[in-house]
Amino acid sequence: MQTVGVGLLGLGTVGSGVARLLLEHGDRIARRTGLRLELRRVVVRDVRKERGVVLPSRLLASDVSAVAQDPGVQVAVELWGGVGPARRAILELIDAGKDVVTANKALLAEHGPELFDRAHRAGRALAFEAAVAGGIPIISAISQGLAANQILSISGILNGTSNYILTAMAETGETYAAALRRAQELGYAESDPSLDVDGTDAAHKLAILAQLGFGCRVTTADIARQGIDRLDAADVRYAGELGYAIKLLATAKLCDGSVELRVAPTLVRHRSPLAEVRGAYNAVQVIGDAVGDTLFYGRGAGQMPTASAVVGDIIDTALGRAGITFRTLANWIEAQGTPRIQPSSEVHGRYYLRFLAEDRPGVLGQIARILGEHRISISSVIQHEAEEDHEGAPVPLVIMSHNAIEAATLGALCDIDRLGSVRPPSVCLRVEG
Ligand code: NAP
Ligand code: HSE
């Protein structure tokens, strides 16, 4: 049986899960793969800290050279998170001849080309299945299983923390702040949770998937993004009344030779597959020209689902499978170059619009007139009764549009917000489908 030495950088939420799988399920993994995965070193900031997993103290170190310089380590696993120190550590590990596995989407989204290039030149693997959608093997699905296809669209729920918060707000009426705290306690959130709720984490993941799917360089800066951090609980309720759930959707779509890229809270119809994705689960819908529609579903965050993907990568790397995939992809991305990103003047769809408007004669007419001037056709209108009982009290007015150009919709919103009878800012959310 082949023994593979593993060096671990990080023993937090995911690192502890990986250590547990290696220590507690090593025999099963060995029977299944023919590989004995041996945990040789673990690098943390504080070697004295108490951990959820018990390790012999001789394994713990506080400097990456303990892994880089250990000739018994073949595969190094970066689970520190963050960008600067993790980047330097991975470069040091590659230069020292180690294959590398990482779950660090922030790092790959920012420095992926440099790291892949360095690994490529050194003939080492850089595997990253756990970086997107936790336990769902979406990286290998897009880069291997669907390799025969022209990918037409990748769309899904890629941030477990946001989906956990939205589910709690919609189903139990929990406050945003309380649901976020709970997601942190459960180990779903990033160490800086603003990355989860402002859409950045989903954009990091979408940048990775779009590169794999479309074979072109996409950075996080190319992705129009909006998170759930400014979402009003009232919109979750009104969307529910209209038969929709609000989900943080990440979408990369080919449209007439350009790519539409966005992360945004989006209304999806109740009982549609994405509306049914609850808690920290993720789902990714991939459409290919040959395969048609596919849907991948599973736990997108948390200790053991992510550890499952990391250990799968260690096995693939040791068997030589991860290196081949990544070299093929590097060539593919090189060949396709930079995509044309679709500007907002060309993006179109249906929109949910909410205004806080004075309840007096003619106000609805003024709003409808401005929408008409921007060529936005109304599909439905709901006006709730005012809480204050006098003419002119502000009332929420929810309008669903037909298909419209996004730039025109935002222009109309600006004009409507200038009306004396409307309390800005009004809300505009995309409606899926
Ligand atoms: P975490 O709980 O904060 O753990 C980070 C670990 O890395 C800690 O053990 C910490 O040491 C160590 N560390 C960080 N910086 C270090 C440095 N400069 N030198 C030495 N040790 C350092 O993070 P996590 O949730 O496990 O996430 C790890 C990575 O997985 C991140 O890239 C994250 O984006 C990714 N990921 C996480 C999830 C999830 O559900 N949590 C899912 C998919 C991907 P101390 O313990 O001594 O402080
Ligand atoms: N913080 C991330 C999330 C972890 O909530 O989805 C998984 O990448």
Side-chain angles (χ1 to χ4, degrees), residues 10-15 43-46 49 51 79-81 85 103-105 130 187-188 190 301-302 306:
L11 198 59
T13 303
V14 184
V43 184
V44 289
R45 259 186 301 238
D46 178 1
K49 188 157 131 187
R51 316 259 168 196
L79 296 170
W80 282 355
N104 194 334
K105 54 267 168 165
Y188 303 149
E190 297 300 302
T306 312

PDB file of all heavy atoms in Angstrom, residues 10-15 43-46 49 51 79-81 85 103-105 130 187-188 190 301-302 306, ligand 1:
ATOM      1  N   GLY A  10      -3.599  24.801   9.166  1.00  0.00           N
ATOM      2  CA  GLY A  10      -4.876  25.216   9.752  1.00  0.00           C
ATOM      3  C   GLY A  10      -5.573  24.061  10.442  1.00  0.00           C
ATOM      4  O   GLY A  10      -5.637  22.945   9.910  1.00  0.00           O
ATOM      5  N   LEU A  11      -6.076  24.364  11.651  1.00  0.00           N
ATOM      6  CA  LEU A  11      -6.826  23.355  12.407  1.00  0.00           C
ATOM      7  C   LEU A  11      -8.048  24.041  13.023  1.00  0.00           C
ATOM      8  O   LEU A  11      -8.355  23.901  14.189  1.00  0.00           O
ATOM      9  CB  LEU A  11      -5.925  22.748  13.498  1.00  0.00           C
ATOM     10  CG  LEU A  11      -6.352  21.425  14.115  1.00  0.00           C
ATOM     11  CD1 LEU A  11      -6.478  20.325  13.074  1.00  0.00           C
ATOM     12  CD2 LEU A  11      -5.370  21.000  15.198  1.00  0.00           C
ATOM     13  N   GLY A  12      -8.733  24.832  12.164  1.00  0.00           N
ATOM     14  CA  GLY A  12      -9.958  25.499  12.586  1.00  0.00           C
ATOM     15  C   GLY A  12     -11.136  24.622  12.205  1.00  0.00           C
ATOM     16  O   GLY A  12     -11.063  23.384  12.293  1.00  0.00           O
ATOM     17  N   THR A  13     -12.223  25.242  11.733  1.00  0.00           N
ATOM     18  CA  THR A  13     -13.435  24.473  11.411  1.00  0.00           C
ATOM     19  C   THR A  13     -13.118  23.367  10.404  1.00  0.00           C
ATOM     20  O   THR A  13     -13.346  22.177  10.676  1.00  0.00           O
ATOM     21  CB  THR A  13     -14.504  25.417  10.798  1.00  0.00           C
ATOM     22  OG1 THR A  13     -14.762  26.459  11.724  1.00  0.00           O
ATOM     23  CG2 THR A  13     -15.798  24.682  10.498  1.00  0.00           C
ATOM     24  N   VAL A  14     -12.564  23.728   9.251  1.00  0.00           N
ATOM     25  CA  VAL A  14     -12.362  22.726   8.189  1.00  0.00           C
ATOM     26  C   VAL A  14     -11.142  21.855   8.496  1.00  0.00           C
ATOM     27  O   VAL A  14     -11.194  20.623   8.330  1.00  0.00           O
ATOM     28  CB  VAL A  14     -12.207  23.416   6.809  1.00  0.00           C
ATOM     29  CG1 VAL A  14     -12.102  22.382   5.710  1.00  0.00           C
ATOM     30  CG2 VAL A  14     -13.389  24.337   6.533  1.00  0.00           C
ATOM     31  N   GLY A  15     -10.055  22.476   8.965  1.00  0.00           N
ATOM     32  CA  GLY A  15      -8.843  21.703   9.269  1.00  0.00           C
ATOM     33  C   GLY A  15      -9.125  20.597  10.271  1.00  0.00           C
ATOM     34  O   GLY A  15      -8.650  19.460  10.120  1.00  0.00           O
ATOM     35  N   VAL A  43       0.124  23.034  10.856  1.00  0.00           N
ATOM     36  CA  VAL A  43       0.649  24.370  11.175  1.00  0.00           C
ATOM     37  C   VAL A  43      -0.496  25.290  11.582  1.00  0.00           C
ATOM     38  O   VAL A  43      -1.450  25.482  10.810  1.00  0.00           O
ATOM     39  CB  VAL A  43       1.390  24.976   9.955  1.00  0.00           C
ATOM     40  CG1 VAL A  43       2.015  26.316  10.329  1.00  0.00           C
ATOM     41  CG2 VAL A  43       2.456  24.014   9.446  1.00  0.00           C
ATOM     42  N   VAL A  44      -0.395  25.824  12.794  1.00  0.00           N
ATOM     43  CA  VAL A  44      -1.423  26.736  13.318  1.00  0.00           C
ATOM     44  C   VAL A  44      -0.742  27.984  13.859  1.00  0.00           C
ATOM     45  O   VAL A  44       0.486  28.037  13.956  1.00  0.00           O
ATOM     46  CB  VAL A  44      -2.239  26.061  14.459  1.00  0.00           C
ATOM     47  CG1 VAL A  44      -3.142  24.977  13.908  1.00  0.00           C
ATOM     48  CG2 VAL A  44      -1.328  25.531  15.547  1.00  0.00           C
ATOM     49  N   ARG A  45      -1.583  28.979  14.213  1.00  0.00           N
ATOM     50  CA  ARG A  45      -1.005  30.187  14.808  1.00  0.00           C
ATOM     51  C   ARG A  45      -0.586  29.907  16.239  1.00  0.00           C
ATOM     52  O   ARG A  45       0.502  30.242  16.669  1.00  0.00           O
ATOM     53  CB  ARG A  45      -2.057  31.306  14.805  1.00  0.00           C
ATOM     54  CG  ARG A  45      -1.860  32.299  13.694  1.00  0.00           C
ATOM     55  CD  ARG A  45      -2.817  33.449  13.818  1.00  0.00           C
ATOM     56  NE  ARG A  45      -4.190  32.988  13.788  1.00  0.00           N
ATOM     57  CZ  ARG A  45      -5.095  33.381  12.916  1.00  0.00           C
ATOM     58  NH1 ARG A  45      -4.782  34.279  12.005  1.00  0.00           N
ATOM     59  NH2 ARG A  45      -6.316  32.912  12.949  1.00  0.00           N
ATOM     60  N   ASP A  46      -1.490  29.246  16.996  1.00  0.00           N
ATOM     61  CA  ASP A  46      -1.275  29.062  18.426  1.00  0.00           C
ATOM     62  C   ASP A  46      -1.237  27.562  18.727  1.00  0.00           C
ATOM     63  O   ASP A  46      -2.291  26.900  18.780  1.00  0.00           O
ATOM     64  CB  ASP A  46      -2.431  29.758  19.171  1.00  0.00           C
ATOM     65  CG  ASP A  46      -2.327  29.591  20.665  1.00  0.00           C
ATOM     66  OD1 ASP A  46      -1.361  28.954  21.130  1.00  0.00           O
ATOM     67  OD2 ASP A  46      -3.226  30.096  21.376  1.00  0.00           O
ATOM     68  N   LYS A  49      -3.387  26.257  21.839  1.00  0.00           N
ATOM     69  CA  LYS A  49      -4.858  26.410  21.896  1.00  0.00           C
ATOM     70  C   LYS A  49      -5.550  25.044  21.984  1.00  0.00           C
ATOM     71  O   LYS A  49      -5.099  24.071  21.355  1.00  0.00           O
ATOM     72  CB  LYS A  49      -5.295  27.130  20.614  1.00  0.00           C
ATOM     73  CG  LYS A  49      -6.728  27.541  20.558  1.00  0.00           C
ATOM     74  CD  LYS A  49      -6.816  28.697  19.556  1.00  0.00           C
ATOM     75  CE  LYS A  49      -7.877  28.550  18.532  1.00  0.00           C
ATOM     76  NZ  LYS A  49      -7.808  29.588  17.505  1.00  0.00           N
ATOM     77  N   ARG A  51      -8.333  22.372  21.042  1.00  0.00           N
ATOM     78  CA  ARG A  51      -8.984  22.128  19.746  1.00  0.00           C
ATOM     79  C   ARG A  51     -10.080  21.086  19.876  1.00  0.00           C
ATOM     80  O   ARG A  51     -10.068  20.276  20.791  1.00  0.00           O
ATOM     81  CB  ARG A  51      -7.960  21.610  18.731  1.00  0.00           C
ATOM     82  CG  ARG A  51      -6.640  22.348  18.739  1.00  0.00           C
ATOM     83  CD  ARG A  51      -6.569  23.320  17.619  1.00  0.00           C
ATOM     84  NE  ARG A  51      -5.437  24.239  17.774  1.00  0.00           N
ATOM     85  CZ  ARG A  51      -5.337  25.350  17.093  1.00  0.00           C
ATOM     86  NH1 ARG A  51      -6.263  25.677  16.250  1.00  0.00           N
ATOM     87  NH2 ARG A  51      -4.308  26.164  17.267  1.00  0.00           N
ATOM     88  N   LEU A  79      -5.547  25.466   4.735  1.00  0.00           N
ATOM     89  CA  LEU A  79      -6.869  25.775   5.307  1.00  0.00           C
ATOM     90  C   LEU A  79      -6.749  26.911   6.321  1.00  0.00           C
ATOM     91  O   LEU A  79      -7.430  26.914   7.348  1.00  0.00           O
ATOM     92  CB  LEU A  79      -7.466  24.510   5.947  1.00  0.00           C
ATOM     93  CG  LEU A  79      -7.747  23.375   4.959  1.00  0.00           C
ATOM     94  CD1 LEU A  79      -8.108  22.081   5.663  1.00  0.00           C
ATOM     95  CD2 LEU A  79      -8.861  23.763   3.987  1.00  0.00           C
ATOM     96  N   TRP A  80      -5.881  27.850   6.027  1.00  0.00           N
ATOM     97  CA  TRP A  80      -5.749  29.031   6.865  1.00  0.00           C
ATOM     98  C   TRP A  80      -6.839  30.041   6.543  1.00  0.00           C
ATOM     99  O   TRP A  80      -7.291  30.777   7.402  1.00  0.00           O
ATOM    100  CB  TRP A  80      -4.405  29.723   6.618  1.00  0.00           C
ATOM    101  CG  TRP A  80      -3.225  29.085   7.266  1.00  0.00           C
ATOM    102  CD1 TRP A  80      -3.232  28.011   8.121  1.00  0.00           C
ATOM    103  CD2 TRP A  80      -1.865  29.497   7.127  1.00  0.00           C
ATOM    104  NE1 TRP A  80      -1.948  27.730   8.509  1.00  0.00           N
ATOM    105  CE2 TRP A  80      -1.086  28.627   7.919  1.00  0.00           C
ATOM    106  CE3 TRP A  80      -1.217  30.501   6.409  1.00  0.00           C
ATOM    107  CZ2 TRP A  80       0.295  28.742   8.022  1.00  0.00           C
ATOM    108  CZ3 TRP A  80       0.157  30.604   6.511  1.00  0.00           C
ATOM    109  CH2 TRP A  80       0.911  29.737   7.311  1.00  0.00           C
ATOM    110  N   GLY A  81      -7.172  30.148   5.268  1.00  0.00           N
ATOM    111  CA  GLY A  81      -8.054  31.239   4.835  1.00  0.00           C
ATOM    112  C   GLY A  81      -7.258  32.534   4.709  1.00  0.00           C
ATOM    113  O   GLY A  81      -6.049  32.556   4.971  1.00  0.00           O
ATOM    114  N   PRO A  85      -0.802  35.763   3.821  1.00  0.00           N
ATOM    115  CA  PRO A  85       0.011  34.651   4.343  1.00  0.00           C
ATOM    116  C   PRO A  85      -0.269  33.327   3.608  1.00  0.00           C
ATOM    117  O   PRO A  85       0.660  32.556   3.361  1.00  0.00           O
ATOM    118  CB  PRO A  85      -0.409  34.555   5.819  1.00  0.00           C
ATOM    119  CG  PRO A  85      -0.956  35.900   6.151  1.00  0.00           C
ATOM    120  CD  PRO A  85      -1.568  36.433   4.894  1.00  0.00           C
ATOM    121  N   ALA A 103      -8.903  25.188   0.064  1.00  0.00           N
ATOM    122  CA  ALA A 103     -10.344  25.472   0.042  1.00  0.00           C
ATOM    123  C   ALA A 103     -10.557  26.977  -0.040  1.00  0.00           C
ATOM    124  O   ALA A 103     -11.663  27.466   0.168  1.00  0.00           O
ATOM    125  CB  ALA A 103     -10.990  24.944   1.326  1.00  0.00           C
ATOM    126  N   ASN A 104      -9.490  27.706  -0.382  1.00  0.00           N
ATOM    127  CA  ASN A 104      -9.461  29.158  -0.218  1.00  0.00           C
ATOM    128  C   ASN A 104      -9.899  29.889  -1.496  1.00  0.00           C
ATOM    129  O   ASN A 104      -9.096  30.254  -2.346  1.00  0.00           O
ATOM    130  CB  ASN A 104      -8.036  29.546   0.169  1.00  0.00           C
ATOM    131  CG  ASN A 104      -7.937  30.956   0.687  1.00  0.00           C
ATOM    132  OD1 ASN A 104      -8.751  31.804   0.343  1.00  0.00           O
ATOM    133  ND2 ASN A 104      -6.942  31.200   1.504  1.00  0.00           N
ATOM    134  N   LYS A 105     -11.219  30.114  -1.609  1.00  0.00           N
ATOM    135  CA  LYS A 105     -11.728  30.758  -2.837  1.00  0.00           C
ATOM    136  C   LYS A 105     -11.308  32.209  -2.941  1.00  0.00           C
ATOM    137  O   LYS A 105     -11.101  32.717  -4.046  1.00  0.00           O
ATOM    138  CB  LYS A 105     -13.255  30.624  -2.931  1.00  0.00           C
ATOM    139  CG  LYS A 105     -14.022  31.130  -1.726  1.00  0.00           C
ATOM    140  CD  LYS A 105     -14.278  30.031  -0.748  1.00  0.00           C
ATOM    141  CE  LYS A 105     -14.774  30.586   0.567  1.00  0.00           C
ATOM    142  NZ  LYS A 105     -15.367  29.591   1.427  1.00  0.00           N
ATOM    143  N   ALA A 130     -12.920  22.005  -2.685  1.00  0.00           N
ATOM    144  CA  ALA A 130     -13.655  22.527  -1.523  1.00  0.00           C
ATOM    145  C   ALA A 130     -13.857  24.038  -1.578  1.00  0.00           C
ATOM    146  O   ALA A 130     -14.577  24.595  -0.753  1.00  0.00           O
ATOM    147  CB  ALA A 130     -12.910  22.162  -0.239  1.00  0.00           C
ATOM    148  N   GLY A 187     -20.212  27.362  12.239  1.00  0.00           N
ATOM    149  CA  GLY A 187     -18.985  27.187  11.428  1.00  0.00           C
ATOM    150  C   GLY A 187     -19.196  27.396   9.946  1.00  0.00           C
ATOM    151  O   GLY A 187     -18.365  26.992   9.143  1.00  0.00           O
ATOM    152  N   TYR A 188     -20.316  28.053   9.545  1.00  0.00           N
ATOM    153  CA  TYR A 188     -20.572  28.276   8.117  1.00  0.00           C
ATOM    154  C   TYR A 188     -19.873  29.534   7.611  1.00  0.00           C
ATOM    155  O   TYR A 188     -19.474  29.599   6.450  1.00  0.00           O
ATOM    156  CB  TYR A 188     -22.078  28.449   7.843  1.00  0.00           C
ATOM    157  CG  TYR A 188     -22.951  27.294   8.291  1.00  0.00           C
ATOM    158  CD1 TYR A 188     -24.262  27.520   8.712  1.00  0.00           C
ATOM    159  CD2 TYR A 188     -22.482  25.993   8.267  1.00  0.00           C
ATOM    160  CE1 TYR A 188     -25.078  26.471   9.106  1.00  0.00           C
ATOM    161  CE2 TYR A 188     -23.297  24.944   8.674  1.00  0.00           C
ATOM    162  CZ  TYR A 188     -24.589  25.195   9.092  1.00  0.00           C
ATOM    163  OH  TYR A 188     -25.390  24.164   9.484  1.00  0.00           O
ATOM    164  N   GLU A 190     -17.385  32.861   7.052  1.00  0.00           N
ATOM    165  CA  GLU A 190     -15.960  33.158   6.948  1.00  0.00           C
ATOM    166  C   GLU A 190     -15.509  33.853   8.236  1.00  0.00           C
ATOM    167  O   GLU A 190     -16.338  34.385   8.981  1.00  0.00           O
ATOM    168  CB  GLU A 190     -15.707  34.096   5.754  1.00  0.00           C
ATOM    169  CG  GLU A 190     -16.064  33.481   4.420  1.00  0.00           C
ATOM    170  CD  GLU A 190     -15.278  32.212   4.125  1.00  0.00           C
ATOM    171  OE1 GLU A 190     -14.047  32.258   4.104  1.00  0.00           O
ATOM    172  OE2 GLU A 190     -15.909  31.160   3.916  1.00  0.00           O
ATOM    173  N   ALA A 301     -21.527  24.413   3.137  1.00  0.00           N
ATOM    174  CA  ALA A 301     -20.618  24.968   4.142  1.00  0.00           C
ATOM    175  C   ALA A 301     -20.655  24.049   5.351  1.00  0.00           C
ATOM    176  O   ALA A 301     -21.531  23.207   5.487  1.00  0.00           O
ATOM    177  CB  ALA A 301     -21.066  26.381   4.532  1.00  0.00           C
ATOM    178  N   GLY A 302     -19.680  24.243   6.239  1.00  0.00           N
ATOM    179  CA  GLY A 302     -19.648  23.455   7.460  1.00  0.00           C
ATOM    180  C   GLY A 302     -18.464  22.494   7.460  1.00  0.00           C
ATOM    181  O   GLY A 302     -17.861  22.222   6.426  1.00  0.00           O
ATOM    182  N   THR A 306     -17.193  20.116   3.991  1.00  0.00           N
ATOM    183  CA  THR A 306     -16.023  20.721   3.335  1.00  0.00           C
ATOM    184  C   THR A 306     -14.821  19.783   3.448  1.00  0.00           C
ATOM    185  O   THR A 306     -14.051  19.616   2.487  1.00  0.00           O
ATOM    186  CB  THR A 306     -15.725  22.097   3.965  1.00  0.00           C
ATOM    187  OG1 THR A 306     -16.953  22.835   4.033  1.00  0.00           O
ATOM    188  CG2 THR A 306     -14.738  22.883   3.142  1.00  0.00           C
TER     189      THR A 306
HETATM  190  P1  NAP B   1     -10.944  28.940  10.684  1.00  0.00           P
HETATM  191  O1  NAP B   1     -11.899  28.155  11.485  1.00  0.00           O
HETATM  192  O2  NAP B   1     -10.793  30.394  10.970  1.00  0.00           O
HETATM  193  O3  NAP B   1      -9.502  28.236  10.841  1.00  0.00           O
HETATM  194  C1  NAP B   1      -8.303  28.796  10.376  1.00  0.00           C
HETATM  195  C2  NAP B   1      -7.127  27.986  10.909  1.00  0.00           C
HETATM  196  O4  NAP B   1      -5.925  28.432  10.277  1.00  0.00           O
HETATM  197  C3  NAP B   1      -6.905  28.111  12.404  1.00  0.00           C
HETATM  198  O5  NAP B   1      -6.507  26.864  12.941  1.00  0.00           O
HETATM  199  C4  NAP B   1      -5.735  29.114  12.525  1.00  0.00           C
HETATM  200  O6  NAP B   1      -4.867  28.855  13.609  1.00  0.00           O
HETATM  201  C5  NAP B   1      -4.963  28.821  11.250  1.00  0.00           C
HETATM  202  N1  NAP B   1      -4.280  29.991  10.711  1.00  0.00           N
HETATM  203  C6  NAP B   1      -4.840  31.052  10.081  1.00  0.00           C
HETATM  204  N2  NAP B   1      -3.879  31.909   9.673  1.00  0.00           N
HETATM  205  C7  NAP B   1      -2.707  31.376  10.042  1.00  0.00           C
HETATM  206  C8  NAP B   1      -1.352  31.785   9.914  1.00  0.00           C
HETATM  207  N3  NAP B   1      -1.028  32.927   9.296  1.00  0.00           N
HETATM  208  N4  NAP B   1      -0.377  30.991  10.422  1.00  0.00           N
HETATM  209  C9  NAP B   1      -0.693  29.848  11.048  1.00  0.00           C
HETATM  210  N5  NAP B   1      -1.970  29.391  11.212  1.00  0.00           N
HETATM  211  C10 NAP B   1      -2.955  30.151  10.710  1.00  0.00           C
HETATM  212  O7  NAP B   1     -11.267  28.826   9.129  1.00  0.00           O
HETATM  213  P2  NAP B   1     -12.159  27.710   8.381  1.00  0.00           P
HETATM  214  O8  NAP B   1     -13.606  28.023   8.518  1.00  0.00           O
HETATM  215  O9  NAP B   1     -11.675  26.355   8.777  1.00  0.00           O
HETATM  216  O10 NAP B   1     -11.790  28.026   6.864  1.00  0.00           O
HETATM  217  C11 NAP B   1     -10.542  27.648   6.313  1.00  0.00           C
HETATM  218  C12 NAP B   1     -10.583  27.848   4.793  1.00  0.00           C
HETATM  219  O11 NAP B   1     -11.605  27.012   4.238  1.00  0.00           O
HETATM  220  C13 NAP B   1     -10.928  29.270   4.336  1.00  0.00           C
HETATM  221  O12 NAP B   1     -10.222  29.549   3.161  1.00  0.00           O
HETATM  222  C14 NAP B   1     -12.431  29.191   4.034  1.00  0.00           C
HETATM  223  O13 NAP B   1     -12.827  30.152   3.077  1.00  0.00           O
HETATM  224  C15 NAP B   1     -12.501  27.794   3.461  1.00  0.00           C
HETATM  225  N6  NAP B   1     -13.827  27.164   3.530  1.00  0.00           N
HETATM  226  C16 NAP B   1     -14.504  27.162   4.700  1.00  0.00           C
HETATM  227  C17 NAP B   1     -15.742  26.532   4.768  1.00  0.00           C
HETATM  228  C18 NAP B   1     -16.556  26.512   6.023  1.00  0.00           C
HETATM  229  O14 NAP B   1     -17.681  26.029   5.979  1.00  0.00           O
HETATM  230  N7  NAP B   1     -16.026  26.967   7.152  1.00  0.00           N
HETATM  231  C19 NAP B   1     -16.263  25.901   3.620  1.00  0.00           C
HETATM  232  C20 NAP B   1     -15.518  25.915   2.428  1.00  0.00           C
HETATM  233  C21 NAP B   1     -14.298  26.563   2.402  1.00  0.00           C
HETATM  234  P3  NAP B   1      -5.350  29.060  15.158  1.00  0.00           P
HETATM  235  O15 NAP B   1      -6.403  28.013  15.340  1.00  0.00           O
HETATM  236  O16 NAP B   1      -4.134  28.804  15.960  1.00  0.00           O
HETATM  237  O17 NAP B   1      -5.880  30.450  15.219  1.00  0.00           O
END
